[in-house]
Amino acid sequence: MEIFKALVLCSLLLNFIVPGFHAFDTIAPGQSVKDNETLVSAEGTFEAGFFNFADPTNQYFGIWYKDISPRTFVWIANRDTPVGNSSGVLNVTDGGNLVILNVSGDIVWSSNTSTTAKKPVLQLLDTGNLVVKEESNPENLLWQSFYLPGDTLLPGMRIRSSMVSGTFTSLTSWRDSQEPGKGEYSYHIDTHGFPQVVITKGGKLLYRAGSWNGNILSGIPSETLYKDFNFSFVITEQEVSYGYELLNQSIVSRYMITLTGQIQRFILSDQTNNWQLFYSGPADRCDNYNVCGVNSNCDVDNSPTCECLQGFIPKSPENWNSQNWTDGCVRRVNLDCSNSDGFLKYQGLKLPDTSASWFDKSMNLKECESICLKNCSCTAYANLDIRDGGSGCLLWFNNIVDVRKLSSGGQDLYIRMAASELDHNKDLNKKKLAGILVGCTLFIIIMVILVVTIFRWKKLKKAGKNQIVSGKNHTDNTQKGEIDIPIFDFSTIANATSNFSIGNKLGEGGFGPVYKGTLSNSQDIAVKRLCNNSGQGPKEFINEVVLIANLQHRNLVKLLGCCIQEDERILIYEFMTNRSLDYFIFDEARKSLLHWPQRFQIICGIARGLLYLHEDSRLRIIHRDLKTSNILLDENMNPKISDFGLARTFGGDEVEGKTKRVVGTYGYISPEYAARGNFSVKSDVFSFGVIVLETVCGKKNREYFDDHDHGLLGHAWRLWCEEKSMELIDESLGEPIGLAEADVLRCIQIGLLCVQDRPEDRPDMSAVVLMLNGEKSLPRPREPAFYPHQSGSSSGNSKLQSTNEISISLLDAR
Ligand SMILES: *[C@@H]1O[C@H](CO)[C@@H](O)[C@H](O)[C@H]1NC(C)=O
Ligand SMILES: *[C@@H]1O[C@H](CO)[C@@H](O)[C@H](O)[C@H]1NC(C)=O
Ligand SMILES: *[C@@H]1O[C@H](CO)[C@@H](O)[C@H](O)[C@H]1NC(C)=O
Ligand SMILES: *[C@@H]1O[C@H](CO)[C@@H](O)[C@H](O)[C@H]1NC(C)=O
Ligand SMILES: *[C@@H]1O[C@H](CO)[C@@H](O)[C@H](O)[C@H]1NC(C)=O
Ligand SMILES: *[C@@H]1O[C@H](CO)[C@@H](O)[C@H](O)[C@H]1NC(C)=O
Ligand SMILES: *[C@@H]1O[C@H](CO)[C@@H](O)[C@H](O)[C@H]1NC(C)=O
Ligand SMILES: *[C@@H]1O[C@H](CO)[C@@H](O)[C@H](O)[C@H]1NC(C)=O
Ligand SMILES: *[C@@H]1O[C@H](CO)[C@@H](O)[C@H](O)[C@H]1NC(C)=O
């Protein structure tokens, strides 16, 4: 008892004596906050004080959640003017001005409050708001940090734009993960026309979250209208503002703009005390501003994604057909500019860019239509507010810009048409029927021709060829020194695999099932029966296979030959006795068979194989579906990459750039490839990073969500920040790691570097190989890319999540 009392006394004393134990939420003039002292809000939710990142000569004063790790900043006062030394102080002046002074007593930041307050005090509230108020009149806030948002919007905070002066406050991205100064991305309200929320980069419009429809911003799928939030958009003569409140006070949530210009909402999981990504936008290709050009509609579920609005035709058909949408669409028939024009109704759309629109709150839809008809340049109208059956009027003039289909929600839009086009549209059904008839006839004719051709070709083949022929016969353009590729007879392969029997099936790979086979000379082979024929003719296919077969490296699976039978395409590979990496590391019983030295050798081998594909082979091959099940293991547990070059075969000869067809697997696919179809060697590096972390940890990234909200990547990042990376290591490794600890830490750091959000922040494979060998120093990773939680409702990724058992995820279903 005595001891207990003494302890209590001690801790009380400590609170008074040691500055680090400050726990006040308020200071008055004459008092100050220095380095190592903090303000803590009354209930301990937020904490404010000086801090620095790696560089101690850049000191900031900021606010963060007191009990959330890693430290999450919500506001920074002097984000653009760090104190050059750790001896900065924060003061309230007698007049109520908030200032940060450096060691020489110069003001580096000021709230510029110009009042003559009596007895002002500074207080950190439990909402995260830092306020200056009069002690005698606490309701009267002289200044508040909520009026000066940084990159984060907390509940109760608002972004505001003046309707008079054009000034606005915005969420502005940080410049870098350790540099909170104002970056290029801004999230704010554009007041031109009917106000709308936009993201700009250096002033250029990138994304419209859209205008307010009474419930929510019109560009956000309605599934994200979450019952726990009350969003509000307020337009007055002076000012327009946007913000939200929490309806359920036990939820902790923040909304922020990331380094890469995405707006993201996070909710704190009450089970794990980690942030869970709830919504993220822009979410897919169609969210990019005006991606399809004017007068068109973007639909991620369509292929091609862009389509002219009805009654419109591509302005430059040639460009349009080669998927260059820049020029957009034009009317097939010009408007009459008379009352005979009519309107065509579209449903489920994100309303067009409102920056050149006109609006009226009191009109109804009928009045809206008639006023639009009266002005020749008016091209579309819609309700302003969709609540209670709709009210108000919104008009667009001239071109219709940035329309997309929304996965849920979306609004009605009425687009003006010449009378003849409307009739045309009525006739369309009849015409469609006629079109179908003509189409069927053509199809039958083509089929007949095809069957005859195939029949002839088969006959030729039977007559002229024996069991194994040289690929040279088929590929006249192969270069000297290239190996020939044996072409197996279909019956040989069918015999070797007992007619592709289930018993011989090894698994389902990315591009089709794989079977074990045994040739008559008792050589074991792996047979990949490609599904989903890309429509390549036999000659192109063999050309492609010869290219793949010429990629030879000890860490790549060797291609032994191929087989073509009608539209069947089969690849024959060397057989790997120890199956694949996932077979070991994710299996409770088998994972203990792979000790750390072997895992490290496997990681190094994959890196070398990938480096060869990216840089050392004559072709630059981007794998595009790298994952643990594509890392095969031979009898000595040497890793060999499989399925390389196949994305090429399937995706055409894209070497780098954008694809309509995303090949990849949930958990391994990089964010830019999943969302926008952008792939490069750096998207492979991302997948490699995931494999490294999975190999160290022995758990799957995509199954990690149960316990950890940001998957394996977020978990690894958190442990790294807390300098507890060794906790990541697979428990079944059992034996003390000892001297190898440095290798483990190196692998984790390399893994984190490879999964950075921005491709340019990821190392290339030559750097990775040097880093693994310890021949290159390791930069500090930043926060990695996060996957939205699988039960979250981000529109753009829902498809990817639902196909997580299958390795080809076609974002654009054909
Ligand atoms: C700030 O606070 C310090 C310590 O309380 C004091 O010495 C200094 O005069 C104050 N400066 C201003 C401008 O109030
Ligand atoms: C703050 O604390 C750190 C570490 O405890 C120490 O190195 C530093 O000198 C302290 N700064 C001041 C101004 O007391
Ligand atoms: C304090 O700030 C002033 C103005 O920004 C600057 O000129 C001066 O060098 C700073 N002093 C120190 C010690 O950083
Ligand atoms: C940094 O602050 C210390 C006192 O804390 C001072 O002695 C030193 O001169 C300062 N350095 C610079 C570069 O301003
Ligand atoms: C205060 O005024 C200065 C000088 O006009 C300006 O640079 C600074 O950004 C202002 N501070 C705030 C918090 O607006
Ligand atoms: C939502 O916020 C608006 C404006 O701030 C308010 O009028 C309304 O009552 C709130 N709704 C709920 C359900 O709290
Ligand atoms: C509020 O949120 C908490 C935590 O998510 C949940 O347990 C509770 O049921 C919610 N309350 C209401 C009224 O929705
Ligand atoms: C697309 O078309 C526009 C206009 O014709 C042209 O300027 C642009 O270079 C084209 N873009 C590509 C990628 O071909
Ligand atoms: C039609 O609307 C546009 C845009 O508001 C306006 O500039 C133009 O004067 C209007 N024309 C007529 C005839 O009212």
Side-chain angles (χ1 to χ4, degrees):
M1 238 7 222
E2 285 304 312
I3 290 172
F4 182 65
K5 266 190 197 158
L7 275 177
V8 170
L9 203 68
C10 252
S11 67
L12 276 176
L13 272 175
L14 271 176
N15 267 315
F16 283 105
I17 297 164
V18 182
F21 279 77
H22 249 226
F24 305 123
D25 70 345
T26 307
I27 61 165
Q31 297 176 314
S32 63
V33 183
K34 302 192 199 62
D35 191 24
N36 295 350
E37 300 175 347
T38 58
L39 295 173
V40 175
S41 64
E43 288 179 21
T45 316
F46 287 98
E47 186 168 23
F50 284 98
F51 69 92
N52 59 268
F53 297 102
D55 178 3
T57 66
N58 282 336
Q59 193 83 3
Y60 301 93
F61 184 87
I63 304 175
W64 56 88
Y65 295 90
K66 185 167 183 301
D67 291 326
I68 296 176
S69 164
R71 196 181 267 191
T72 311
F73 297 99
V74 295
W75 187 78
I76 293 171
N78 55 330
R79 63 186 293 197
D80 283 310
T81 52
V83 186
N85 199 315
S86 60
S87 39
V89 290
L90 177 92
N91 274 34
V92 210
T93 64
D94 290 330
N97 198 13
L98 195 61
V99 291
I100 295 174
L101 309 169
N102 69 9
V103 69
S104 17
D106 290 301
I107 295 182
V108 297
W109 181 86
S110 162
S111 65
N112 299 334
T113 330
S114 54
T115 52
T116 43
K118 285 204 188 99
K119 287 203 171 179
V121 290
L122 174 74
Q123 187 177 16
L124 177 62
L125 305 180
D126 268 309
T127 53
N129 200 359
L130 186 68
V131 302
V132 178
K133 60 188 185 186
E134 275 181 314
E135 209 172 11
S136 53
N137 183 11
E139 297 304 304
N140 180 24
L141 300 183
L142 305 173
W143 179 86
Q144 49 179 315
S145 63
F146 270 21
Y147 272 69
L148 201 72
D151 71 337
T152 301
L153 200 69
L154 291 172
M157 213 172 192
R158 304 182 75 77
I159 48 172
R160 296 160 196 276
S161 294
S162 164
M163 294 295 251
V164 186
S165 65
T167 56
F168 58 85
T169 55
S170 63
L171 299 187
T172 318
S173 61
W174 286 16
R175 267 203 283 274
D176 210 334
S177 57
Q178 307 224 330
E179 230 193 305
K182 281 200 178 90
E184 286 189 293
Y185 296 99
S186 162
Y187 178 81
H188 61 265
I189 308 172
D190 176 6
T191 53
H192 295 95
F194 186 47
Q196 57 182 347
V197 179
V198 296
I199 294 179
T200 60
K201 180 185 186 185
K204 185 171 177 278
L205 179 50
L206 293 186
Y207 166 68
R208 294 183 313 114
S211 52
W212 183 251
N213 65 19
N215 286 330
I216 197 168
L217 298 176
S218 62
I220 298 176
S222 67
E223 69 214 43
T224 54
L225 174 67
Y226 194 52
K227 61 178 185 354
D228 294 328
F229 300 100
N230 183 8
F231 299 93
S232 68
F233 197 90
V234 178
I235 306 178
T236 67
E237 304 252 296
Q238 282 75 42
E239 181 189 78
V240 47
S241 69
Y242 175 61
Y244 66 98
E245 302 276 354
L246 294 175
L247 296 176
N248 181 342
Q249 296 304 325
S250 54
I251 284 175
V252 181
S253 176
R254 68 193 164 97
Y255 195 48
M256 69 169 300
I257 186 157
T258 65
L259 288 180
T260 49
Q262 273 198 326
I263 194 86
Q264 298 189 327
R265 173 173 298 288
F266 291 91
I267 295 180
L268 195 72
S269 152
D270 42 3
Q271 277 112 42
T272 62
N273 210 36
N274 283 339
W275 292 109
Q276 184 171 310
L277 182 56
F278 176 72
Y279 165 75
S280 179
D284 59 33
R285 226 172 9 257
C286 287
D287 273 346
N288 293 321
Y289 180 68
N290 200 19
V291 64
C292 290
V294 299
N295 302 318
S296 57
N297 183 15
C298 191
D299 182 351
V300 279
D301 293 335
N302 265 357
S303 182
T305 332
C306 296
E307 193 176 52
C308 287
L309 292 167
Q310 271 181 47
F312 290 79
I313 51 172
K315 184 169 180 213
S316 326
E318 218 165 281
N319 278 355
W320 190 266
N321 291 337
S322 55
Q323 311 212 340
N324 177 348
W325 324 109
T326 321
D327 292 338
C329 306
V330 293
R331 284 186 189 277
R332 182 163 36 212
V333 178
N334 281 337
L335 294 175
D336 295 343
C337 275
S338 69
N339 276 335
S340 72
D341 287 345
F343 290 89
L344 208 76
K345 181 179 177 180
Y346 277 80
Q347 289 175 307
L349 294 187
K350 170 179 178 177
L351 294 183
D353 188 353
T354 54
S355 60
S357 66
W358 177 91
F359 67 99
D360 180 285
K361 283 186 189 163
S362 58
M363 280 184 195
N364 64 28
L365 210 54
K366 201 73 217 152
E367 293 165 326
C368 197
E369 171 173 349
S370 76
I371 189 170
C372 186
L373 274 180
K374 286 198 185 105
N375 183 329
C376 189
S377 46
C378 178
T379 45
Y381 70 91
N383 263 143
L384 201 60
D385 191 322
I386 58 169
R387 289 174 299 180
D388 306 326
S391 62
C393 173
L394 187 50
L395 298 182
W396 285 269
F397 302 93
N398 305 314
N399 284 329
I400 293 164
V401 181
D402 198 36
V403 170
R404 67 163 298 171
K405 188 171 169 291
L406 285 182
S407 57
S408 65
Q411 280 168 247
D412 295 348
L413 177 69
Y414 299 84
I415 296 179
R416 187 170 185 166
M417 292 283 135
S420 61
E421 280 290 310
L422 286 171
D423 296 341
H424 172 87
N425 202 53
K426 277 179 203 150
D427 287 346
L428 214 63
N429 282 346
K430 284 183 203 160
K431 285 194 178 156
K432 259 190 193 155
L433 202 68
I436 289 169
L437 276 176
V438 172
C440 284
T441 320
L442 271 175
F443 180 75
I444 290 169
I445 295 172
I446 290 171
M447 283 311 285
V448 168
I449 295 174
L450 212 70
V451 167
V452 170
T453 317
I454 289 172
F455 187 70
R456 283 207 184 149
W457 179 72
K458 260 176 74 180
K459 253 176 122 180
L460 260 174
K461 193 172 165 240
K462 278 221 171 100
K465 307 277 144 88
N466 47 20
Q467 195 178 325
I468 295 180
V469 296
S470 159
K472 276 242 166 94
N473 294 340
H474 295 263
T475 56
D476 0 272
N477 60 350
T478 50
Q479 287 176 2
K480 236 181 145 182
E482 278 191 343
I483 59 148
D484 291 344
I485 171 85
I487 296 177
F488 291 81
D489 206 60
F490 186 78
S491 59
T492 311
I493 299 305
N495 282 341
T497 58
S498 319
N499 251 328
F500 302 99
S501 74
I502 293 283
N504 281 44
K505 192 164 161 180
L506 291 171
E508 188 79 35
F511 300 87
V514 184
Y515 300 87
K516 183 181 177 181
T518 310
L519 294 175
S520 50
N521 64 3
S522 72
Q523 181 189 2
D524 286 335
I525 54 173
V527 173
K528 181 170 280 269
R529 194 174 193 181
L530 300 178
C531 59
N532 206 328
N533 189 352
S534 62
Q536 273 182 330
K539 188 166 165 178
E540 290 95 331
F541 178 70
I542 290 172
N543 277 339
E544 203 58 52
V545 169
V546 168
L547 289 177
I548 297 174
N550 274 287
L551 297 170
Q552 298 210 9
H553 184 273
R554 64 188 297 257
N555 295 113
L556 298 183
V557 176
K558 198 168 163 195
L559 185 65
L560 300 177
C562 70
C563 163
I564 303 176
Q565 167 94 349
E566 290 166 14
D567 56 359
E568 188 87 68
R569 302 280 181 272
I570 294 172
L571 296 174
I572 292 101
Y573 288 100
E574 60 179 329
F575 179 76
M576 291 288 143
T577 31
N578 277 318
R579 298 207 187 197
S580 50
L581 185 55
D582 61 329
Y583 181 72
F584 284 91
I585 60 174
F586 300 142
D587 182 273
E588 285 313 318
R590 285 185 286 266
K591 58 174 29 173
S592 60
L593 299 174
L594 268 192
H595 302 301
W596 172 252
Q598 270 165 325
R599 293 194 195 199
F600 187 59
Q601 281 317 308
I602 287 171
I603 289 171
C604 293
I606 303 168
R608 285 190 298 265
L610 198 53
L611 173 63
Y612 173 82
L613 287 177
H614 284 178
E615 290 176 22
D616 294 347
S617 63
R618 264 195 301 114
L619 306 159
R620 166 171 282 202
I621 296 280
I622 298 171
H623 190 294
R624 292 166 59 183
D625 195 19
L626 202 62
K627 53 184 167 182
T628 48
S629 59
N630 273 338
I631 306 301
L632 308 189
L633 299 171
D634 73 5
E635 65 278 14
N636 299 318
M637 288 289 181
N638 288 318
K640 295 189 182 230
I641 300 173
S642 76
D643 271 4
F644 54 89
L646 292 188
R648 236 179 92 93
T649 318
F650 278 80
D653 48 8
E654 300 147 331
V655 170
E656 185 160 356
K658 258 175 126 78
T659 179
K660 293 181 285 119
R661 213 170 151 162
V662 173
V663 181
T665 303
Y666 186 77
Y668 294 94
I669 190 168
S670 68
E672 74 278 4
Y673 187 25
R676 295 187 293 279
N678 286 351
F679 67 92
S680 66
V681 288
K682 294 296 182 67
S683 31
D684 277 356
V685 170
F686 185 95
S687 311
F688 173 78
V690 177
I691 292 176
V692 170
L693 294 173
E694 287 185 336
T695 307
V696 170
C697 169
K699 295 206 177 60
K700 287 186 191 174
N701 183 25
R702 68 172 165 82
E703 284 178 4
Y704 218 71
F705 285 101
D706 302 340
D707 315 319
H708 303 86
D709 297 311
H710 282 141
L712 179 56
L713 310 189
H715 182 56
W717 169 243
R718 204 160 59 94
L719 290 177
W720 196 81
C721 287
E722 293 168 2
E723 297 185 358
K724 295 192 291 199
S725 282
M726 287 308 286
E727 287 181 18
L728 195 67
I729 199 162
D730 193 344
E731 290 143 19
S732 67
L733 281 173
E735 85 269 36
I737 292 296
L739 289 178
E741 187 171 319
D743 286 342
V744 176
L745 291 175
R746 199 140 33 98
C747 282
I748 292 173
Q749 191 165 348
I750 291 169
L752 285 170
L753 286 168
C754 291
V755 296
Q756 297 289 294
D757 202 4
R758 289 189 293 200
E760 60 269 29
D761 291 342
R762 300 173 204 147
D764 55 26
M765 285 315 294
S766 58
V768 168
V769 169
L770 291 176
M771 289 177 194
L772 281 171
N773 293 341
E775 291 162 12
K776 188 172 172 21
S777 66
L778 302 184
R780 284 177 73 85
R782 307 155 204 260
E783 186 173 65
F786 286 146
Y787 280 95
H789 192 274
Q790 280 183 290
S791 64
S793 43
S794 158
S795 66
N797 294 300
S798 53
K799 268 190 206 144
L800 202 56
Q801 291 166 5
S802 62
T803 57
N804 58 16
E805 287 306 321
I806 303 166
S807 64
I808 301 185
S809 307
L810 293 179
L811 286 188
D812 284 351
R814 268 158 201 266

